[in-house]
Amino acid sequence: MRPEILFPLFAPVDRLKGVGPKVAPLLHKLAGPLVRDLLALAPTGVIVRRRTTSAEAVEGETAIFEVVIDRLIRPGRPGVPIKVRASDDSGFVHLVWFHGSTNHIERLAPPGERRLVSGKVERFGGEVQIPHPDHIIPLERAEELPIVEPVYPQTQGLTSRQIRRLVESALALAPELPEWQDPAWRARQGWPDWRAALLALHAPTGPAELLPEAPARARLAFDEALAHQLALARRRRSRQVAAAPRIVPGTVSEALLAALPFTLTGAQSRALAEIRADLASGEQMGRLLQGDVGSGKTAVAALALADAVSSGFQAALMAPTEILARQHALKLIPMFAAAGVEAVLLTGRDSAAERRDTLAALADGRAALAIGTHALFQEAVTFRNLGLAVIDEQHRFGVSERQRLQAKGDLATGGVHLLTMSATPIPRTLELTQYGDLDVSRLHEKPPGRTPVTTAVLPQARIGDVVRRLGAALDRGAQAYWICPLVAESEAVDLAAAEARAADLTRALRQPIGLAHGRMPGAERAAVMDAFARGELPLLVATTVVEVGVDVPNASIMVIEHADRFGLAQLHQLRGRVGRGARASACTLLYGGEDAGLGETARERLEILRGTEDGFEIAEADFRLRGGGDPLGLRQSGFPAYRFVDPVRHRALMQAAFDDARLILARDPDLTSPRGAAIRVLEHLFDWRPDRPGAD
């Protein structure tokens, strides 16, 4: 039940004065349907006005002039602006409108009257001009002219000034709320209380007060981060108290470990120990295993799957694409078969007979391991006793999809353990925000045998040199990828297209060339990829369909066209397709058009990639460069839609909120203390879910 004190904030914005049937949908689109949503629409800037004279006016500043209106200069022909000449003791000020009604302008600025005029100063032909003044008012209404005015996001039909007036109406409804922050912490930070912070946010005295570090903004950001971390901590606690099967290593685990063609790295051994401690605890595991390209996540996951099978339970490994699922099946099914365990592959392309046999084997328990795509959580799939679900490239699945796979377990034996994996290293800030309810294991080391990849950055104009060197390498038996950002040529976008590039390279190299892109039928694309993996094709021209799940140890060359159009994380993933075998490997990043240069951010991005292969370092740089907008595309996978938090600038606050949330629930798990009651108010206040429009 939402606390009664919050009812005014959860009233519809339609109840505010001035919000009619035309304005309401615009406000809903811009801020949201509730008064609280409008109050969370922070200004994006400020207009600071300085009182001055015609002689002292500075071009580019927003100024206030006290003038006498001399006369209106009507345009003599269409296209000529309307002008009003005004004057002060030091000279003339010309007010200019490039469109408008002369009658309306004459009412605003009647000749002979004294007025306060505000606007951005321009100089034209030696004259002081104000195009489209923002205020023209009589002297007796001087208090209406703000010296500092917040600027709000706008939408067609709703101006910043209208929004400001509506925000002022909403602020009048904001109640004094109980303090949920620790008093000593708030005093150290020098922060105001919640209502004072809200008032200060919407009445800045200068641009500095809108910075993320400003006391009002920082206070509200911490509150928002704390509410989010409390929700994650509650989810984590509910999982930890849920019973789950006890899983321990056994004969299948030993057989699989002995069959690995390498010794586990220290990082793999540590991650496996953390996973095994969770599996044996009797509480439901929720762990994220993240590691760089080629760090050996699959081997760790395979041993966890073997533990589940050794303990008499079934296990499932789900991948986002059929290519990746088949890649896993190709490796794991023979290894488990050698240990006497039946494993099956389930995808959306199986024949009816194959699917029928696979479903029967899972239902009666003959198949102890299932590897597949989204097909694994479909309604027709039943397991006899699923104990562990492993999800690869987990950010490509939604929360509900992961839950649907976990729901395949048998409630009699407890909840299904969950191990998620990510080949895209995740910055610490995102661990706190998106994965704060999970334990995290990191693989920092690469297994022996992985070769370094030499990375070169070249302009697109050097493509002829690249093709010549590539041809020589292919003649020596090398295999290569050539990545293009588009499938087919486009008149609207001047970027390389895979189909046209494959044709060009076929003519230039006179070698068999494969082509793979997302618009091809799945079977046709898989056949090309398989031929490349078998070494039948020396060169594969592709789009980003090869970003994950393609393991061709002989491939040692990667060329990426228009690399400046890709994100750092994606470039790192693509580069990770080479360097998997004994050959010295190289990656060439081509940028720009035939004569185009690089922007500053694009240059920094490519230089970072050239300077390091450390995926965690690259992930942190990617997050810093992209900022809090949409780092790594995580808006699509549950990244919180913050209103006040800047994930880059507020990293320290987010860590503090992470720690505080766990301390709060450790001391007062049911929130029964006075501070606990205030925290319940906080949780409701910052619940941004759109399906809770009113007081319940």
Side-chain angles (χ1 to χ4, degrees):
M1 176 73 70
R2 181 173 296 134
E4 186 174 349
I5 195 172
L6 293 179
F7 285 6
L9 296 177
F10 282 79
V13 287
D14 311 48
R15 295 183 190 172
L16 294 175
K17 184 179 179 181
V19 180
K22 290 184 178 179
V23 171
L26 300 177
L27 269 184
H28 292 185
K29 173 185 174 184
L30 195 63
L34 306 176
V35 168
R36 176 207 60 177
D37 299 326
L38 180 58
L39 292 176
L41 186 68
T44 55
V46 294
I47 296 172
V48 180
R49 297 180 172 88
R50 184 178 74 89
R51 193 144 180 166
T52 188
T53 65
S54 171
E56 297 174 344
V58 177
E59 187 169 13
E61 76 173 1
T62 301
I64 300 172
F65 300 88
E66 182 179 335
V67 298
V68 175
I69 305 299
D70 293 340
R71 65 189 182 94
L72 184 145
I73 305 171
R74 298 175 183 273
R77 61 182 186 278
V80 175
I82 305 169
K83 284 188 177 184
V84 168
R85 192 180 75 175
S87 60
D88 59 18
D89 292 340
S90 64
F92 293 105
V93 177
H94 290 83
L95 316 181
V96 181
W97 287 264
F98 294 96
H99 50 78
S101 160
T102 54
N103 291 335
H104 173 67
I105 292 169
E106 197 163 26
R107 284 194 299 272
L108 276 176
E113 294 291 329
R114 189 172 290 274
R115 291 288 185 265
L116 288 175
V117 176
S118 167
K120 194 167 185 178
V121 175
E122 292 183 359
R123 287 190 178 272
F124 183 75
E127 296 180 343
V128 174
Q129 283 194 168
I130 301 180
H132 294 277
D134 53 36
H135 289 276
I136 302 177
I137 58 175
L139 268 60
E140 60 268 22
R141 289 167 46 198
E143 72 281 355
E144 297 177 15
L145 187 54
I147 301 302
V148 180
E149 182 178 359
V151 177
Y152 290 91
Q154 303 179 119
T155 188
Q156 188 171 3
L158 197 58
T159 67
S160 173
R161 196 169 299 165
Q162 287 176 289
I163 295 165
R164 179 183 166 221
R165 287 196 291 267
L166 293 173
V167 166
E168 288 172 352
S169 297
L171 284 168
L173 301 176
E176 296 283 355
L177 298 180
E179 184 56 74
W180 46 75
Q181 287 195 19
D182 176 74
W185 161 259
R186 185 164 77 90
R188 283 198 303 275
Q189 302 302 318
W191 289 344
D193 62 35
W194 174 79
R195 191 174 191 279
L198 200 62
L199 292 170
L201 179 77
H202 291 290
T205 59
E209 293 194 21
L210 296 182
L211 295 174
E213 299 80 13
R217 171 74 182 271
R219 154 80 205 225
L220 296 169
F222 181 81
D223 290 343
E224 185 176 33
L226 179 59
H228 180 65
Q229 288 303 321
L230 284 164
L232 292 175
R234 283 178 179 276
R235 195 186 307 166
R236 182 189 183 113
R237 287 182 71 245
S238 67
R239 190 192 69 242
Q240 288 173 334
V241 299
R246 293 184 184 275
I247 290 174
V248 295
T251 55
V252 179
S253 313
E254 293 167 0
L256 207 67
L257 182 61
L260 291 178
F262 52 82
T263 302
L264 295 181
T265 64
Q268 286 175 309
S269 296
R270 286 190 296 274
L272 183 60
E274 291 166 350
I275 292 167
R276 283 177 165 170
D278 289 351
L279 293 175
S281 69
E283 297 175 351
Q284 191 176 31
M285 177 177 74
R287 184 169 288 275
L288 168 65
L289 175 62
Q290 60 163 317
D292 208 346
V293 177
S295 58
K297 295 179 299 298
T298 304
V300 174
L303 290 167
L305 294 167
D307 290 351
V309 174
S310 294
S311 299
F313 295 97
Q314 289 173 297
L317 170 58
M318 185 166 70
T321 65
E322 185 177 330
I323 291 172
L324 185 51
R326 290 188 180 279
Q327 193 84 51
H328 284 316
L330 193 64
K331 291 180 178 178
L332 296 181
I333 289 179
M335 294 176 72
F336 275 85
V341 175
E342 182 179 349
V344 294
L345 173 66
L346 183 64
T347 72
R349 251 187 345 116
D350 299 340
S351 68
E354 289 172 331
R355 181 176 175 80
R356 186 170 55 251
D357 292 344
T358 300
L359 294 180
L362 291 174
D364 63 23
R366 281 180 289 121
L369 173 62
I371 301 167
T373 58
H374 298 70
L376 286 175
F377 60 70
Q378 301 307 312
E379 188 175 346
V381 181
T382 58
F383 291 84
R384 187 174 65 84
N385 60 344
L386 182 64
L388 170 65
V390 176
I391 299 179
D392 198 5
E393 293 297 318
Q394 57 79 36
H395 60 279
R396 300 197 176 196
F397 293 96
V399 173
S400 63
E401 293 174 316
R402 297 195 288 267
Q403 290 174 341
R404 286 173 67 185
L405 180 58
Q406 281 187 283
K408 297 292 184 181
D410 182 356
L411 293 179
T413 60
V416 174
H417 294 288
L418 178 66
L419 175 64
T420 64
M421 299 195 294
S422 175
T424 302
I426 298 165
R428 175 62 178 159
T429 302
L430 297 191
E431 281 186 16
L432 297 181
T433 54
Q434 192 186 10
Y435 306 111
D437 59 328
L438 300 176
D439 297 301
V440 179
S441 295
R442 284 187 167 201
L443 299 180
H444 284 280
E445 305 170 46
K446 290 186 179 181
R450 293 283 305 201
T451 57
V453 180
T454 302
T455 302
V457 178
L458 298 173
Q460 191 80 11
R462 296 278 303 279
I463 191 170
D465 297 337
V466 173
V467 172
R468 282 189 290 275
R469 291 201 302 271
L470 175 63
L474 298 183
D475 289 340
R476 295 192 298 269
Q479 279 186 280
Y481 298 93
W482 189 293
I483 306 300
C484 300
L486 297 177
V487 174
E489 287 186 331
S490 165
E491 293 181 3
V493 184
D494 182 23
L495 296 178
E499 292 173 337
R501 184 60 72 210
D504 291 343
L505 290 171
T506 298
R507 288 190 294 270
L509 300 175
R510 301 187 182 279
Q511 298 235 32
I513 291 177
L515 174 64
H517 57 73
R519 293 186 191 172
M520 297 169 66
E524 183 181 339
R525 185 172 65 246
V528 172
M529 306 277 270
D530 289 344
F532 182 67
R534 291 192 302 269
E536 297 168 8
L537 296 171
L539 177 63
L540 179 65
V541 177
T543 57
T544 55
V545 293
V546 301
E547 183 181 346
V548 295
V550 180
D551 186 10
V552 182
N554 189 54
S556 58
I557 298 172
M558 169 68 69
V559 179
I560 304 174
E561 284 199 67
H562 294 284
D564 49 312
R565 304 298 183 99
F566 292 88
L568 258 178
Q570 191 171 43
L571 288 171
H572 180 58
Q573 287 291 318
L574 290 166
R575 181 173 61 178
R577 298 309 100 200
V578 298
R580 293 170 170 257
R583 281 180 179 270
S585 296
C587 176
T588 299
L589 306 175
L590 295 171
Y591 65 84
E594 291 300 325
D595 55 359
L598 268 178
E600 183 178 341
T601 301
R603 181 177 298 281
E604 184 177 358
R605 204 161 54 229
L606 297 186
E607 287 299 325
I608 288 166
L609 205 70
R610 178 161 62 181
T612 182
E613 287 188 73
D614 186 328
F616 289 95
E617 184 179 335
I618 289 169
E620 292 290 348
D622 195 26
F623 185 70
R624 174 177 54 82
L625 290 173
R626 293 190 187 213
D630 186 15
L632 308 183
L634 292 174
R635 281 278 185 267
Q636 304 304 315
S637 55
F639 189 80
Y642 285 131
R643 309 288 178 97
F644 300 112
V645 171
D646 180 328
V648 174
R649 305 280 288 277
H650 288 141
R651 297 177 78 167
L653 287 186
M654 294 171 78
Q655 179 66 59
F658 177 87
D659 296 336
D660 197 22
R662 275 141 191 78
L663 185 61
I664 288 166
L665 293 180
R667 290 176 174 174
D668 185 13
D670 297 320
L671 300 180
T672 55
S673 67
R675 188 186 180 196
I679 285 169
R680 288 185 184 276
V681 174
L682 166 73
E683 290 181 310
H684 282 281
L685 178 64
F686 283 97
D687 182 354
W688 298 119
R689 287 177 294 175
D691 58 337
R692 304 184 66 176
D696 49 26

